[in-house]
Amino acid sequence: MTRAWEKLILTDFPHHTTENIRFCDTDAVGHVNNVSFGAYLETGRVGLIYDHKIRVNFEENGLQLVLAQLNQGFVNELNWPGNVDIATGISRIGNSSITMLQALFKDGTCACTAEAVLVLMDLKTRKSTPLPEAVIPMLDQLRVDLEI
Amino acid sequence: MTASWEGITLDDFPCQTHDLIRYSDLDPVGHVNNTAYANYFEAGRLDFLYDGGKVKEHATNGFFVLVQFNINFRKEMSFPGRVDVGTGVQRVGRTSIGVISAIYNEGICRAISDSILVYMGKDSRKSEPLPQEALDHLETLKVTFQPKG
């Protein structure tokens, strides 16, 4: 289903995590710098993988998800102090890659939406490799049924 | 953003910036982390706005704020090393500009980015039309190639 970013809420997504906005995340314009948004989004992606058994499978098989594409839409400023809520879900499961849909919220207001394409890399060859069959059902449980 | 990018080099960008890969830019995968790429791209954009491109000299009543930032990660980078960032204008709008950038390391293109910067009034904190002299200056910073995708 298609949803405008103004209508997004945290519970639209299967995985949630929170980060404290640090003073050093801000820049000379007085708001949180774009690079910090990137770090919050990464916390969400890494959290989704690490909080589930997916990580165990990847570690046992010498596999690592790496970021291939990141599209960020900055829809509102974030300001210090406070917390940022990071919402993440999987929107596509491919052969050797997955796509995650993400959003950042502060006090319920959406500040950023993002789409991330992650490719599974074999740590020995540093090349892409198909997703192990065992992780597909785990990834399926973390789906987000949204288009922003 | 694949085939049409072949053959495009740092020299094709009107603004060129150099940065150092820091040890703290690395992550446990042993390569430069994605957020460091965002830092290098930002260094390129700021050089384009200030010293190198001097865009800010023609647009003194506001800030350029990033509203859209897309990165295509093409190759890994490792420590130690240096990065070269090419930055140029792809599109000049009434209140915003489309910027295209690429990161090179050892002469190889490592990432490509397109972004949209909106001109925000210092007092209004809302988008405002770019001054005519800024529009004229931005035309001189356009890239001549047209990557697809």
Side-chain angles (χ1 to χ4, degrees):
Chain A
M1 91 187 94
T2 309
R3 186 89 64 87
W5 63 264
E6 294 97 328
K7 298 265 172 73
L8 285 178
I9 50 170
L10 190 63
T11 50
D12 288 333
F13 297 82
H15 185 270
H16 315 142
T17 184
T18 301
E19 277 231 86
N20 181 237
I21 298 172
R22 296 173 300 180
F23 186 73
C24 68
D25 291 341
T26 59
D27 64 22
V29 186
H31 60 201
V32 173
N33 182 268
N34 74 88
V35 179
S36 304
F37 280 67
Y40 302 149
L41 292 168
E42 182 176 63
T43 298
R45 291 192 304 272
V46 171
L48 180 138
I49 296 300
Y50 274 60
D51 290 350
H52 296 85
K53 297 263 167 63
I54 304 164
R55 172 179 68 134
V56 179
N57 182 296
F58 286 172
E59 280 181 358
E60 282 172 352
N61 293 298
L63 306 171
Q64 175 76 46
L65 278 174
V66 291
L67 190 60
Q69 176 83 35
L70 180 64
N71 298 342
Q72 289 171 266
F74 303 94
V75 293
N76 267 310
E77 291 179 297
L78 279 177
N79 290 295
W80 178 89
N83 293 316
V84 60
D85 295 311
I86 308 154
T88 307
I90 296 171
S91 57
R92 186 191 62 89
I93 301 170
N95 179 42
S96 57
S97 69
I98 59 172
T99 303
M100 290 190 194
L101 213 57
Q102 300 191 272
L104 301 179
F105 299 90
K106 189 183 176 201
D107 302 325
T109 303
C110 181
C112 175
T113 61
E115 191 178 57
V117 179
L118 298 138
V119 174
L120 191 64
M121 180 177 82
D122 184 319
L123 283 166
K124 278 208 192 88
T125 63
R126 309 294 277 192
K127 302 257 180 234
S128 70
T129 185
L131 291 160
E133 262 178 46
V135 302
I136 307 282
M138 302 181 209
L139 295 169
D140 250 331
Q141 288 186 351
L142 296 162
R143 284 232 190 220
V144 60
D145 183 26
L146 274 179
E147 271 182 62
I148 301 168
Chain B
M1 275 200 195
T2 45
S4 56
W5 267 88
E6 306 306 322
I8 294 169
T9 66
L10 183 66
D11 295 333
D12 294 313
F13 291 87
C15 188
Q16 294 158 15
T17 310
H18 312 285
D19 207 349
L20 184 70
I21 297 174
R22 291 160 192 80
Y23 189 72
S24 62
D25 291 343
L26 302 176
D27 67 19
V29 187
H31 62 198
V32 173
N33 182 266
N34 71 88
T35 56
Y37 282 69
N39 267 316
Y40 307 146
F41 278 124
E42 180 171 70
R45 284 196 310 276
L46 288 170
D47 190 29
F48 156 82
L49 291 175
Y50 289 87
D51 291 348
K54 302 193 188 300
V55 176
K56 279 289 285 171
E57 289 183 13
H58 307 276
T60 51
N61 290 326
F63 307 107
F64 285 91
V65 291
L66 191 62
V67 297
Q68 181 74 40
F69 184 34
N70 302 338
I71 310 177
N72 180 221
F73 300 92
R74 291 163 65 95
K75 298 264 182 212
E76 294 180 290
M77 291 192 281
S78 53
F79 179 88
R82 289 181 174 276
V83 289
D84 304 305
V85 188
T87 310
V89 176
Q90 193 171 28
R91 181 189 63 81
V92 180
R94 196 179 67 91
T95 60
S96 69
I97 53 174
V99 172
I100 190 151
S101 326
I103 292 173
Y104 294 85
N105 160 253
E106 296 172 351
I108 297 163
C109 181
R110 307 290 173 155
I112 299 156
S113 158
D114 59 85
S115 49
I116 300 170
L117 302 177
V118 167
Y119 190 55
M120 180 178 81
K122 256 185 193 137
D123 301 322
S124 70
R125 305 289 282 193
K126 298 219 176 284
S127 66
E128 285 189 8
L130 284 154
Q132 187 58 47
E133 59 200 276
L135 296 174
D136 295 341
H137 181 68
L138 285 162
E139 286 295 329
T140 68
L141 297 170
K142 270 197 171 172
V143 293
T144 52
F145 58 88
Q146 272 298 334
K148 294 190 189 100

